[in-house]
Structure formats: C-alpha cells, structure tokens
Amino acid sequence: MKKIWGIIVLISIVIALTACGNKEASNKNQENSNKQSNVVATDAPDAANASNNTEVSINVDETRVQELQAQFGQEKPAKAVTLSVAITELYDALQLDLVGVPTTQSELPDSYANVQRVGSSHSPDLEQIAKLEPNIVLAPASIKDSIDKVLKPSGIPAAYLPVDSLDELKESLVTLGRIYGKEDQAKEVLTTFTNAEAEALKVIEGKSAPSVMFLFGSVESLMLMNEDTFAGSLAKKLGASNVLSSVLKQSETYVPLNMESIVEANPDVILLVAHGDPTAVAQKFEEDVKKNGVWEKLDAFKNGKMVTLDYNLYGVASLVKAPDAYKDLAAILYNN
C-alpha cells in the first residue's frame, strides 16, 4: 500500500512540474509577442500564377504602437487637424478626411487642396484651429513640448506621432490604421512600400559600403544628424555607416557641428539636408567651404562627394517619397 501511495505522489509531482513549465513557456511567448509584432500582408492574387503569391512581413514595435494608440482613447476622431506634412501624408495614404492641415511650402496631397490651413508646425494658428472645433490635433512627437505649451491652455486635445525615421513612419501608419479601422489599407500601403524598398536595395548588393556624414540645418547653423532621421535611416538601409555613431560615438540624434570632429571622422561622403530656404543654405555652405580650408583636406571633398540633397526628396520624412529617395541616395553613395 505504501508503495502505491509513493507512485501516486511521484506522478503528481511530475504533472505539477510539467504544468509549471508550460505556463512559463506560455508567458515567455506572450512577452516576446508584446515586444514586436509582424504586420503580415499578402500580395494581391496573381491571376496568371496564384502560386507565386508572397508574404511580406513588416516588423513594428508593438509596445510602441499600443502606447501611441492609447493617446486616442476608445473613439476614432471625427474631426482631425494635422500640423505635420508627414502625418498629413499618412492620413492621405489611408484615405482619411481632415478638417485642417499645416501651412507649408512643402507639397501636400492633392486630396487636401481645399482644406483649411492652420499655421506651421512650429507656429500653429490657435484661433483658426479653435474655429474648426477638432476632436484631435496631431503633431510630430519631436516637438511635443512646444506644441503642448500652445494647445494645453486652450483645452484643445492633441496627440503626437513619431515621424522622423522610416521605422517611425511605419509605426505611426499602423497606429492610425488601427484607430480608424483601416488595418487592411495600412497593410496594403506598407506592402507596396516594402516591395519598392526591396527593389531599390537590389542595386547595392555586393558593393562596399561607404561612411557618411549628414549635415542638417539652416543658414544660421548646421548640425550633424544620425540614422534616427529620415535621410539617416535611408542611408543605414543602404548599408552606409554614419560616422556620428560609428566613429564619433555620439548617441544624440542631432549634434552641433564641430570641425575637429569632422576631420577626425573623415567620412567618404558628406551630405547636406537644408532646412528653411534650401537654396540659401546650400549657397551659405558652399561659401563656408571656400573660406575654410579644412574642408578641402577631407576625402569627401577630394573625391567630389560633398553633396546637397534634393529638399523635395529629403526635406520631409515621407513613405511616399522614400522609394525615389532610395534610388537617388544609392546613386550618390555607390556611384550608380
């Protein structure tokens, strides 16, 4: 009898340990799922050869998307105003209506040609926005503090979306897709972009990657910027190493220009992204290069690789323009 009870106790212990193991594995799987989700989309059916359908997997930070989504509460905004060209493009990609869009020299989607302008992202017209009685005002996360100071005292609700880099644009698009019940359309947009991106990256296969330095700024001042920016993230995808991170070991997105650091890094390519008046910035930079002989000592200058980037392609972070920007940047970096 004692032996039988011993066997029963042993079996019970084994069952309990197995159950604990399964629970632990389940918890780990859930944890991993929360960290990152795959927005899996399938190409449209090919009538000629349905078996050639391919799945496109787009990774987004699920935790980040949920945080962004939480800003909007449970109801989708019926009347929205945007203070950013990049966010306006995301709304257009999902074919969503807006009651107000930013006043800007950059090109806005044609669908909002007759929509009320509400001031620039850095200087919104509070009176005009209030007249529109929006449910939400959307602005870039990078200027949250300054926009909060303008909108909060007036009680106008606001939400902030990150739109500086390619990954951030994707996260914000997925977020808006969920808020407005447009998940399928968001997947379709991301699938089209991912296919275009893959096509653009083919041209650099097997080629040696250059080192690159990005200058960003206005006539008054220039900064160095890393791969967390739109142009920087494109260059990273194209395999280029950004000397701000790889050589100068700086983690900040923007760092004040310092000639000693530039000489130390001596990048293969130096690219200027002008802000404000692009033509005036480029002209000012060229004058500075002529005056300061230090620039002429750099490999980028000697090899004719100091280039002012096209503001229309790189001035504003854009999923729409990214495929063309890829092709342009690949030609500059790899002499295609």
Side-chain angles (χ1 to χ4, degrees):
M1 190 65 180
K2 186 182 287 183
K3 185 176 181 181
I4 292 174
W5 276 109
I7 293 172
I8 293 173
V9 169
L10 180 61
I11 292 172
S12 299
I13 292 172
V14 170
I15 292 173
L17 289 174
T18 302
C20 289
N22 289 341
K23 184 177 181 180
E24 185 178 350
S26 174
N27 289 339
K28 285 184 177 179
N29 288 338
Q30 183 62 43
E31 183 180 343
N32 290 334
S33 175
N34 288 339
K35 285 180 179 176
Q36 190 175 72
S37 70
N38 290 332
V39 180
V40 179
T42 305
D43 284 349
D46 181 347
N49 189 358
S51 63
N52 286 338
N53 286 350
T54 57
E55 279 196 341
V56 176
S57 182
I58 299 135
N59 296 323
V60 294
D61 187 328
E62 178 60 25
T63 301
R64 181 68 172 141
V65 169
Q66 290 181 7
E67 289 174 355
L68 297 174
Q69 195 174 350
Q71 299 177 92
F72 294 80
Q74 298 300 316
E75 295 184 5
K76 57 184 178 186
K79 297 171 67 179
V81 168
T82 58
L83 293 178
S84 152
V85 175
I87 296 174
T88 306
E89 285 192 349
L90 297 182
Y91 265 77
D92 180 62
L94 298 178
Q95 298 179 316
L96 294 166
D97 291 332
L98 290 167
V99 296
V101 293
T103 306
T104 174
Q105 294 182 346
S106 299
E107 186 179 0
L108 289 174
D110 292 341
S111 56
Y112 306 121
N114 297 319
V115 174
Q116 180 66 51
R117 268 49 178 171
V118 296
S120 68
S121 57
H122 287 83
S123 182
D125 185 335
L126 194 58
E127 184 178 352
Q128 187 59 60
I129 293 174
K131 287 180 181 176
L132 297 171
E133 299 181 343
N135 300 106
I136 197 96
V137 174
L138 290 121
S142 58
I143 56 172
K144 179 180 184 298
D145 291 345
S146 62
I147 297 298
D148 266 351
K149 290 178 183 176
V150 176
L151 297 182
K152 273 192 173 180
S154 303
I156 298 175
Y160 299 92
L161 295 175
V163 288
D164 283 346
S165 67
L166 281 174
D167 285 343
E168 290 182 343
L169 287 169
K170 293 175 185 176
E171 290 170 3
S172 294
L173 182 68
V174 171
T175 300
L176 290 175
R178 292 184 186 178
I179 290 165
Y180 287 94
K182 295 257 187 178
E183 292 97 328
D184 289 344
Q185 197 155 347
K187 287 178 185 177
E188 186 179 337
V189 172
L190 290 175
T191 298
T192 300
F193 168 75
T194 302
N195 287 334
E197 180 182 59
E199 191 66 27
L201 296 180
K202 277 184 182 177
V203 300
I204 64 164
E205 288 178 354
K207 297 184 177 180
S208 298
S211 60
V212 63
M213 173 179 282
F214 282 98
L215 305 177
F216 171 82
S218 62
V219 174
E220 289 75 25
S221 65
L222 290 175
M223 309 278 283
L224 306 182
M225 64 182 194
N226 71 9
E227 52 276 278
D228 294 330
T229 58
F230 178 60
S233 60
L234 291 171
K236 183 179 179 181
K237 280 278 189 178
L238 287 166
S241 64
N242 191 313
V243 294
L244 184 59
S245 305
S246 62
V247 178
L248 302 178
K249 306 300 181 186
Q250 297 283 344
S251 58
E252 296 294 321
T253 304
Y254 297 96
V255 173
L257 186 149
N258 179 301
M259 283 310 300
E260 289 184 7
S261 297
I262 293 176
V263 172
E264 177 189 349
N266 193 21
D268 298 319
V269 183
I270 296 176
L271 301 172
L272 170 64
V273 181
H275 178 64
D277 184 342
T279 304
V281 177
Q283 187 176 351
K284 175 70 164 50
F285 180 62
E286 290 174 7
E287 291 173 359
D288 288 346
V289 170
K290 291 177 182 175
K291 290 179 183 175
N292 190 339
V294 175
W295 291 100
E296 298 178 3
K297 298 177 182 176
L298 302 174
D299 289 344
F301 180 88
K302 295 174 184 174
N303 298 325
K305 286 293 185 179
M306 292 175 63
V307 180
T308 300
L309 296 178
D310 183 353
Y311 182 82
N312 292 319
L313 283 180
Y314 305 93
V316 175
S318 170
L319 275 180
V320 177
K321 295 177 179 174
D324 286 338
Y326 265 129
K327 294 175 186 173
D328 182 70
L329 193 55
I332 296 171
L333 295 176
Y334 293 91
N335 298 317
N336 288 332

